Amino acid sequence: MDNLTKAEQRLIEAIQGGLPLVSRPYAVIGEQLGLTEAEVIAGLSHLIQVGVIKRFGIVVRHRQLGYRANAMVVWNIPDAQVTEMGQQLGQFEGISLCYRRARHLPEWPYNLYCMIHGKDRNAVLRDLDKLIATYNLSHIPHQVLFSRRCFKQSGACYTFQPSKVCPQRAAVGG
Amino acid sequence: MDAIARKIINQLQGDFPITEQPYAQVAAQLEITEDELLQQLTNLLDQGLLSRFGPLYHAERLGGGLTLAAMPVPETDFEQVAAQVNAFPEVAHNYARNHELNMWFILATEQPERIDEVIQEIEAQTGLPVYNMPKQAEYYLRLKLEV
């Protein structure tokens, strides 16, 4: 974002690895950055308000929490209908995200992606059947891509100074 | 995982307070002490159930690049290619999936133009085509997972 201030950039860098687990975490961050606790609080509140921070809290590892099956379901939907269908599918209880993405013709005609998480594959497939029945999607070409393995799961890392290296860039298995 | 840990996970996936003593505030809602909450969060992190406690950024609003990419990787070369791809710091997630396009990864870069460069570098290193599937619209993102 072009209008991020230097102070905001430093805040973003300082908390990306996680918030300190101490009683006054924003004061600790302030000490690191030479800001007051109130400045850190105001800065973070602003970043949340403008949507640079989408969410602030626990970031879970879903596999370790028992959600072992995840399927990416991809659909080939006529362009004229994809917005409406995407909005409909996004309302469905079992779906965690729903995006429109670029096709890769001719090999990859799919333009709508839904993620379904479940405790096991059968649970995911039951959700998918329900989805297809609810929205009359049986005529829409689709594929179900279950994940077999997660090789890497690390948060993105943001630095605003070319020389700086991200501390948490090491790969995390999962 | 005990009942308190479950409650913490269900309640704290977002909307963490930005106040002077945020943990104390959340602990009060959960009817536990601040120390107990901090200890529980430490344990959950140590056990690897949480990847972190902090912000989830909107990559595009930060001015960075973000995309989903896929590659068809011969099964016999899979481990080697996974190591090559994961060695790129821009690769944030990488999943094996059951399809001819069997490797799916998220690229997150500080500069948007770096996406195409990384894709070209991965193609050059692996000798395999990378399909870039950038997001064109987001209809829904449900970030919570009940435990």
Side-chain angles (χ1 to χ4, degrees):
Chain A
M1 209 189 206
D2 296 334
N3 52 357
L4 282 177
T5 64
K6 280 270 174 279
E8 285 174 331
Q9 293 182 354
R10 290 172 62 219
L11 259 184
I12 287 164
E13 287 177 0
I15 59 163
Q16 64 184 332
L19 197 64
L21 294 171
V22 295
S23 184
R24 298 181 70 166
Y26 307 118
V28 171
I29 290 165
E31 274 167 36
Q32 290 166 15
L33 299 178
L35 298 171
T36 65
E37 185 180 34
E39 284 169 330
V40 171
I41 287 174
L44 288 178
S45 302
H46 179 69
L47 290 173
I48 289 171
Q49 194 195 330
V50 297
V52 167
I53 295 178
K54 274 204 256 194
R55 197 186 60 157
F56 199 82
I58 280 174
V59 183
V60 299
R61 291 221 174 93
H62 56 259
R63 288 186 169 226
Q64 280 80 348
L65 286 170
Y67 285 78
R68 302 204 171 272
N70 86 69
M72 188 173 72
V73 185
V74 296
W75 314 82
N76 175 3
I77 298 184
D79 287 341
Q81 292 162 31
V82 68
T83 301
E84 192 192 338
M85 300 263 307
Q87 285 164 352
Q88 277 187 356
L89 266 52
Q91 298 306 307
F92 187 73
E93 187 59 37
I95 278 179
S96 60
L97 59 83
C98 186
Y99 290 165
R100 181 182 183 180
R101 293 190 178 278
R103 304 174 198 265
H104 260 273
L105 297 172
E107 314 92 295
W108 188 258
Y110 306 102
N111 60 341
L112 191 70
Y113 289 58
C114 298
M115 197 65 75
I116 305 180
H117 289 280
K119 305 258 171 181
D120 58 50
R121 286 191 178 202
N122 285 335
V124 170
L125 290 172
R126 278 196 303 273
D127 271 357
L128 178 60
D129 285 345
K130 216 161 88 186
L131 178 72
I132 288 172
T134 306
Y135 296 108
N136 298 315
L137 302 173
S138 48
H139 64 290
I140 302 276
H142 72 273
Q143 296 222 28
V144 185
L145 282 75
F146 274 106
S147 72
R148 291 185 316 198
R149 237 174 104 184
C150 172
F151 286 98
K152 187 174 183 181
Q153 196 177 17
S154 61
C157 177
Y158 299 99
T159 56
F160 298 90
Q161 304 150 55
S163 58
K164 204 151 176 185
V165 179
C166 282
Q168 78 277 31
R169 270 192 160 163
V172 179
Chain B
M1 199 172 24
D2 61 21
I4 288 291
R6 279 177 205 282
K7 226 169 135 186
I8 289 171
I9 290 175
N10 288 338
Q11 189 149 330
L12 276 192
Q13 291 176 54
D15 296 332
F16 187 70
I18 314 288
T19 55
E20 286 184 6
Q21 291 182 284
Y23 296 106
Q25 189 179 325
V26 169
Q29 287 163 11
L30 293 166
E31 298 176 334
I32 57 177
T33 65
E34 183 184 33
D35 281 346
E36 230 176 306
L37 175 62
L38 290 169
Q39 191 55 54
Q40 285 272 4
L41 288 170
T42 306
N43 292 346
L44 289 168
L45 283 162
D46 288 348
Q47 290 163 28
L49 297 175
L50 311 181
S51 66
R52 73 204 139 86
F53 186 86
L56 211 64
Y57 292 121
H58 192 301
E60 292 95 334
R61 284 197 196 151
L62 274 177
L66 190 72
T67 197
L68 176 70
M71 287 171 92
V73 182
E75 286 300 330
T76 47
D77 301 339
F78 204 90
E79 295 294 324
Q80 188 203 332
V81 174
Q84 285 175 318
V85 170
N86 290 348
F88 282 83
E90 293 88 352
V91 173
H93 292 237
N94 189 358
Y95 281 93
R97 295 193 178 276
N98 58 342
H99 187 270
E100 194 183 323
L101 280 178
N102 52 359
M103 185 178 290
W104 289 80
F105 49 93
I106 297 284
L107 289 177
T109 61
E110 284 146 33
Q111 304 297 330
E113 54 274 17
R114 178 78 186 130
I115 293 280
D116 285 340
E117 290 171 16
V118 175
I119 285 177
Q120 282 166 24
E121 288 167 26
I122 291 175
E123 286 183 327
Q125 271 194 29
T126 62
L128 297 167
V130 174
Y131 294 76
N132 186 12
M133 319 274 198
K135 181 169 75 179
Q136 296 176 321
E138 180 174 312
Y139 303 112
Y140 198 76
L141 179 59
R142 186 182 278 113
L143 293 155
K144 257 187 106 154
L145 207 61
E146 292 282 326
V147 295

